[in-house]
Amino acid sequence: GTGSNILSALQDLFWLLKSKVEKQLQIISVLQWVLTFLIMGIACTLILMYILCTDCWAIAALYLAWLVFDWNTPKKGGRRSQWVRNWAIWRYFRDYFPIRLVKTHNLLTTRNYIFGYHPHGIMGLGAFCNFSTEATGVGQKFPGIRPYLATLAGNFRMPILRDYLMSGGICPVNRDSIDYILSKNGSGNAIIIVVGGAAESLNCTPGKNSVTLKNRKGFVKLALRHGADLVPVYSFGENEVYKQVIFEEGSWGRWVQKKFQKHIGFAPCIFHGRGLFSSNTWGLLPYSKPITTVVGEPITIPKIDNPSQQDVDFYHSMYVDSLIKLFDKYKSRFGLPETEVLEVN
């Protein structure tokens, strides 16, 4: 009896230690991505400049030469690595929240797609985990489909960061890159565009389900030009993982944010999550709230080389209706009341 009690106590201790280690690994995995998002580009640029001024300048010079040679690779679909996409760190990243990907319809490998991802949130954590890694099984759920998450083109001017992003299948959100993937890369491609962009991030806050979409029609025009089907995607919980200071329209804070958005492409947000060692303190780590990304039914889009504004408006209206129906169908399953309404701005 004594021996079995000791064995039971040791097993309990083992599982307790294992649980703590896994939690710490989850925190580390999320922290590295947050730091990547916020400072990696600037940090790598400064480090490269410093190395140029040292005895190891040849290393930096060789990388810069490679950078010039490789400059247009992001515009041509990038350089994804299945090894990087399958890193164990992304599974810990997934389990921290946790993040889940829900498939509602099959996608044909003979077609190309533009996924509209909503909402942006502060960092688009659900978009990254679901489509730039294999942690939630996007490759198994949509076999034969190659996802490309589109992000700010300026990120691909940053040394090292550009290569890290490309390894996950991330591409610039510009016309050259999207045109190449949808017209010169065969079929079975899916470009994920966070339609609301920086403007939407300025209004994200826990408990609010709103999207910036009414005047965002460029992605519909691109879909028509290439005959790429549109797929609405909604991420329940994306707005819950950070708390943000919301500046009212007309305030100095909102004026500064809009100036940054206009001239640089992103809007600086004042936000906070939890601390590194305690969920009761403020810090850069997101709160561990569940994020569930639902991929809706594709909308078949005809190929029109020069779509009229009437064509764009018609399919944009179809897309908005489809997104609202997707939200209404799944909202109660993921913790929202039946009375919750998706706000489309």
Side-chain angles (χ1 to χ4, degrees):
T2 303
S4 65
N5 288 338
I6 293 174
L7 182 60
S8 178
L10 288 174
Q11 287 176 336
D12 290 343
L13 179 62
F14 171 77
W15 288 113
L16 180 62
L17 290 173
K18 182 180 178 182
S19 176
K20 287 186 175 180
V21 169
E22 285 186 347
K23 188 61 182 176
Q24 293 305 312
L25 289 172
Q26 290 170 11
I27 290 173
I28 291 169
S29 68
V30 174
L31 179 62
Q32 69 85 25
W33 172 247
V34 170
L35 294 178
T36 295
F37 183 89
L38 295 176
I39 66 171
M40 183 177 177
I42 295 173
C44 288
T45 301
L46 293 175
I47 291 171
L48 196 67
M49 291 172 63
Y50 170 76
I51 293 174
L52 280 171
C53 300
T54 68
D55 292 339
C56 298
W57 63 270
I59 297 174
L62 283 172
Y63 178 80
L64 289 174
W66 160 254
L67 194 64
V68 172
F69 175 78
D70 195 56
W71 190 253
N72 289 323
T73 298
K75 299 177 183 178
K76 298 179 180 180
R79 188 171 46 249
R80 74 174 56 220
S81 166
Q82 286 302 116
W83 176 65
V84 173
R85 287 175 61 88
N86 281 285
W87 277 353
I89 194 172
W90 306 132
R91 294 192 290 275
Y92 290 113
F93 183 99
R94 171 199 66 196
D95 294 338
Y96 173 85
F97 297 92
I99 296 174
R100 179 185 172 204
L101 180 66
V102 176
K103 169 186 174 180
T104 63
H105 291 79
N106 291 325
L107 298 180
L108 299 175
T109 58
T110 55
R111 300 284 294 173
N112 283 325
Y113 302 90
I114 293 180
F115 287 18
Y117 184 92
H118 313 270
H120 184 286
I122 295 293
M123 297 185 186
L125 294 165
F128 168 76
C129 184
N130 284 306
F131 302 112
S132 294
T133 80
E134 293 295 331
T136 56
V138 64
Q140 289 74 42
K141 291 176 180 176
F142 300 102
I145 301 298
R146 293 180 298 276
Y148 294 86
L149 177 61
T151 188
L152 289 175
N155 288 325
F156 297 90
R157 301 187 188 103
M158 302 285 190
I160 311 300
L161 175 63
R162 66 189 294 277
D163 302 288
Y164 189 35
L165 295 178
M166 284 194 292
S167 67
I170 301 177
C171 68
V173 61
N174 58 31
R175 181 168 173 175
D176 289 342
S177 177
I178 294 172
D179 282 347
Y180 184 92
I181 293 170
L182 295 180
S183 64
K184 298 179 181 179
N185 203 41
S187 60
N189 303 292
I191 296 180
I192 298 88
I193 299 177
V194 186
V195 178
E200 191 172 84
S201 69
L202 296 178
N203 296 313
C204 72
T205 188
K208 186 174 183 179
N209 288 283
S210 66
V211 296
T212 301
L213 183 57
K214 281 184 179 178
N215 297 316
R216 300 294 175 104
K217 300 181 180 181
F219 73 106
V220 178
K221 190 172 184 178
L222 281 170
L224 286 165
R225 289 181 62 245
H226 294 285
D229 294 346
L230 288 171
V231 182
V233 179
Y234 197 85
S235 235
F236 294 90
E238 185 72 64
N239 284 345
E240 308 300 316
V241 296
Y242 279 111
K243 295 178 181 179
Q244 180 184 189
V245 176
I246 304 294
F247 293 101
E248 297 296 328
E249 289 292 340
S251 66
W252 68 270
R254 182 53 64 99
W255 179 83
V256 170
Q257 288 176 324
K258 286 188 172 181
K259 286 295 182 182
F260 265 83
Q261 179 191 337
K262 180 179 179 181
H263 297 292
I264 301 179
F266 75 94
C269 302
I270 299 178
F271 65 92
H272 74 84
R274 53 156 290 181
L276 182 60
F277 302 107
S278 171
S279 59
N280 296 321
T281 58
W282 288 11
L284 289 176
L285 279 176
Y287 294 104
S288 53
K289 303 288 185 179
I291 299 174
T292 305
T293 303
V294 184
V295 180
E297 182 178 4
I299 302 167
T300 303
I301 302 294
K303 188 176 187 304
I304 306 174
D305 291 333
N306 294 297
S308 65
Q309 189 60 48
Q310 185 178 3
D311 294 325
V312 173
D313 291 343
F314 174 76
Y315 286 101
H316 181 269
S317 177
M318 284 183 62
Y319 178 86
V320 173
D321 291 342
S322 183
L323 178 65
I324 292 172
K325 289 177 182 176
L326 180 70
F327 177 85
D328 289 339
K329 182 176 180 179
Y330 288 93
K331 61 185 178 184
S332 61
R333 302 188 194 184
F334 304 119
L336 297 179
E338 284 289 349
T339 54
E340 184 72 19
V341 176
L342 178 62
E343 181 183 332
V344 180
N345 299 314

